[in-house]
Amino acid sequence: MKDILFKYMSRWTSMNEEEQQVIMDLIPVEHYKKGTVLIKQGDVPTTCYFILKGCVRQYSIDEEGREITSNFYTEEQAIAIFNHHKLEKASHYTFACVEDAVMVVGDLDTEKDMYNKYPQLETMTRMMIEENLGQVQEEFAAFIASTPEERFKTLLMKNPLLIERVPQHQLASYLGITPESLSRIKKRLYQKPR
């Protein structure tokens, strides 16, 4: 599993194998069962995660008690909440494992010490975040401007396995529609000749 991290260190740093191995030995990798809540809405997060295997759902509970899914994170994606600069540091979201998962777990205080000791690690993290932020901005703009059917088609194109990995009601919430509407869209699309 840690070969994924070696790939990132090789891509974005000039650290030699020995330096990479020292960092790898310091980075904790944890296993989580399906249903595990990593961060609960209202908690102040102290950790960040990088998914090596598995799927995590980001959601919030609205005033009427409904779960609103706003994202899914899968392999090679980071989960970080940037609330430390705010007065209100509590998370607006819950992050829960949709399936068994293996993740790198970063303690935010320990992370600062590692960045001081290994400046290239901080550079690598920043570059990963910048790349991810660019993707998120593009996807969000496209999401807002598209119909539910177009959103589903985009999901099919970009992450087709996600459809099999998450419950339909969560997927529908993420797409901004009801489970019944999602069923109709799937039926329409799957009946069309390809």
Side-chain angles (χ1 to χ4, degrees):
M1 292 272 163
K2 285 192 174 185
D3 57 323
I4 294 170
L5 293 177
F6 276 117
K7 177 178 87 172
Y8 280 97
M9 281 193 270
S10 298
R11 178 178 169 194
W12 281 319
T13 73
S14 58
M15 287 187 273
N16 62 39
E17 279 188 43
E18 187 178 311
E19 291 171 311
Q20 290 181 11
Q21 189 58 55
V22 168
I23 289 171
M24 295 303 292
D25 292 342
L26 294 172
I27 293 174
V29 174
E30 301 289 340
H31 295 254
Y32 296 94
K33 292 286 184 197
K34 176 181 178 176
T36 301
V37 173
L38 304 171
I39 300 168
K40 190 174 180 186
Q41 185 175 346
D43 289 350
V44 176
T46 58
T47 51
C48 56
Y49 303 88
F50 183 79
I51 302 173
L52 299 172
K53 181 177 185 275
C55 180
V56 173
R57 176 173 74 118
Q58 173 184 321
Y59 67 95
S60 58
I61 308 291
D62 70 9
E63 298 81 26
E64 296 170 14
R66 293 178 302 203
E67 290 184 2
I68 309 297
T69 301
S70 48
N71 208 349
F72 292 99
Y73 298 87
T74 57
E75 289 77 13
E76 298 187 39
Q77 290 186 310
I79 301 170
I81 300 174
F82 302 104
N83 285 358
H84 289 280
H85 64 285
K86 296 179 179 178
L87 289 175
E88 174 55 54
K89 297 183 184 337
S91 173
H92 297 288
Y93 305 99
T94 295
F95 295 83
C97 298
V98 176
E99 54 192 26
D100 291 349
V102 179
M103 292 180 251
V104 172
V105 180
D107 175 87
L108 298 177
D109 293 328
T110 306
E111 195 175 84
K112 290 176 191 173
D113 294 337
M114 286 186 70
Y115 288 160
N116 288 332
K117 193 170 183 179
Y118 303 100
Q120 288 192 56
L121 185 62
E122 183 173 20
T123 301
M124 179 190 83
T125 303
R126 180 183 49 77
M127 292 172 81
M128 288 171 65
I129 289 169
E130 287 173 359
E131 184 178 83
N132 183 263
L133 183 59
Q135 288 174 328
V136 167
Q137 287 173 330
E138 286 177 23
E139 289 172 5
F140 182 71
F143 187 88
I144 294 298
S146 61
T147 66
E149 188 165 319
E150 290 168 336
R151 292 174 192 160
F152 183 73
K153 286 178 181 177
T154 299
L155 185 62
L156 273 176
M157 188 176 63
K158 290 189 174 191
N159 197 350
L161 297 179
L162 188 64
I163 294 161
E164 302 302 321
R165 295 172 77 174
V166 301
Q168 182 159 310
H169 71 280
Q170 292 175 3
L171 191 62
S173 174
Y174 171 68
L175 294 170
I177 57 177
T178 65
E180 295 77 21
S181 294
L182 178 56
S183 291
R184 285 192 295 273
I185 289 170
K186 287 167 93 175
K187 186 176 179 182
R188 235 183 357 260
L189 290 176
Y190 293 144
Q191 285 180 347
K192 286 183 180 177
R194 294 184 186 230

